[in-house]
Amino acid sequence: GAVVSQHPSWVICKSGTSVKIECRSLDFQATTMFWYRQFPKQSLMLMATSNEGSKATYEQGVEKDKFLINHASLTLSTLTVTSAHPEDSSFYICSAFSLAGADYNEQFFGPGTRLTVL
Amino acid sequence: GENVEQHPSTLSVQEGDSAVIKCTYSDSASNYFPWYKQELGKRPQLIIDIRSNVGEKKDQRIAVTLNKTAKHFSLHITETQPEDSAVYFCAANFNKFYFGSGTKLNVKP
């Protein structure tokens, strides 16, 4: 199956700093990538949809100025958590979705990034 | 947007018994319904999926049924084993994926 990587796998930062998380599709071109946030013992909450070459579409309640998403190429999307605070501590997971040649809608998940803000 | 509800939130069964998890969705445009298994701290893993033009799909001990009219779909696991213990999520998709709240399945040896 298709492989999606995420980097870093975990990060600890001080309150007020910014953190960048990378999501890469390693063996296919991802026209669309999704970013999710998952708090402990909760479900995956869709934050935004990232399409290559265009602005991301954010879900209601997600601050676009705080969670900056860039999808500059068909294999890379980045999520930057700006001015991170302890309440931003969470498990961030990306997924990639390709329409090219696909006859179904399967998304491929990255391994996730554990963010802890002190 | 889509609203996906999942029940039960926790499910405890004896090894060898069957487990059923149910989900409902609100958007009739949703056309793809995957089920994921997630172990603690790891990415969700697709275990089975179904498209809106199919009513049932089976893969060994796992099956999924879909009722488009009622907008609900279910995951069935037969002959459960301790390694089936995990959190299971349903999802509904049209252009975006929305997840259910999850079911923690505990299979007791």
Side-chain angles (χ1 to χ4, degrees), chain B residues 9-24:
Chain B
S9 56
T10 60
L11 180 59
S12 188
V13 300
Q14 205 67 39
E15 182 178 0
D17 288 349
S18 295
V20 180
I21 303 171
K22 298 181 179 182
C23 286
T24 61

Side-chain angles (χ1 to χ4, degrees), chain A residues 20-35:
Chain A
K20 180 186 281 189
I21 302 170
E22 293 186 349
C23 177
R24 292 181 186 274
S25 56
L26 298 185
D27 51 2
F28 69 103
Q29 292 184 325
T31 52
T32 301
M33 288 183 171
F34 301 96
W35 286 97

Side-chain angles (χ1 to χ4, degrees), chain A residues 3-5 32 34 36 38 41-46 49 57-59 91 93 95 97 103-107 109-112 114, chain B residues 1 6 31-32 34 36 38 40-46 49 51 87 89-91 93-102 104:
Chain A
V3 179
V4 176
S5 70
T32 301
F34 301 96
Y36 297 88
Q38 186 176 32
K41 298 185 179 181
Q42 293 188 24
S43 186
L44 284 79
M45 298 300 297
L46 180 64
T49 303
T57 304
Y58 291 81
E59 294 298 300
F91 192 49
I93 308 177
S95 71
F97 171 58
D103 61 356
Y104 55 91
N105 307 42
E106 185 176 357
Q107 60 175 333
F109 285 94
R114 174 75 58 192
Chain B
Q6 183 172 344
N31 58 7
Y32 175 66
Y36 296 92
Q38 188 180 30
L40 190 63
K42 297 189 176 180
R43 77 185 89 190
Q45 290 190 312
L46 178 70
D49 56 15
R51 302 176 72 186
V87 179
F89 293 99
C90 63
N93 164 255
F94 178 51
N95 289 316
K96 298 185 281 189
F97 292 81
Y98 293 96
F99 284 79
S101 53
K104 184 175 182 180

Side-chain angles (χ1 to χ4, degrees), chain A:
Chain A
V3 179
V4 176
S5 70
Q6 247 179 277
H7 178 80
S9 55
W10 58 270
V11 57
I12 301 173
C13 69
K14 292 182 178 180
S15 186
T17 61
S18 294
V19 175
K20 180 186 281 189
I21 302 170
E22 293 186 349
C23 177
R24 292 181 186 274
S25 56
L26 298 185
D27 51 2
F28 69 103
Q29 292 184 325
T31 52
T32 301
M33 288 183 171
F34 301 96
W35 286 97
Y36 297 88
R37 180 167 53 182
Q38 186 176 32
F39 292 109
K41 298 185 179 181
Q42 293 188 24
S43 186
L44 284 79
M45 298 300 297
L46 180 64
M47 299 175 67
T49 303
S50 171
N51 293 300
E52 185 267 337
S54 62
K55 289 184 178 180
T57 304
Y58 291 81
E59 294 298 300
Q60 191 172 10
V62 178
E63 301 173 58
K64 61 180 181 180
D65 294 331
K66 181 170 182 63
F67 299 100
L68 302 179
I69 291 172
N70 184 281
H71 193 158
S73 78
L74 285 170
T75 59
L76 173 64
S77 177
T78 60
L79 167 68
T80 301
V81 184
T82 61
S83 187
H85 292 283
E87 57 266 29
D88 298 322
S89 298
S90 187
F91 192 49
Y92 291 86
I93 308 177
C94 70
S95 71
F97 171 58
S98 175
L99 284 173
D103 61 356
Y104 55 91
N105 307 42
E106 185 176 357
Q107 60 175 333
F108 305 97
F109 285 94
T113 297
R114 174 75 58 192
L115 170 63
T116 302
V117 184
L118 302 177

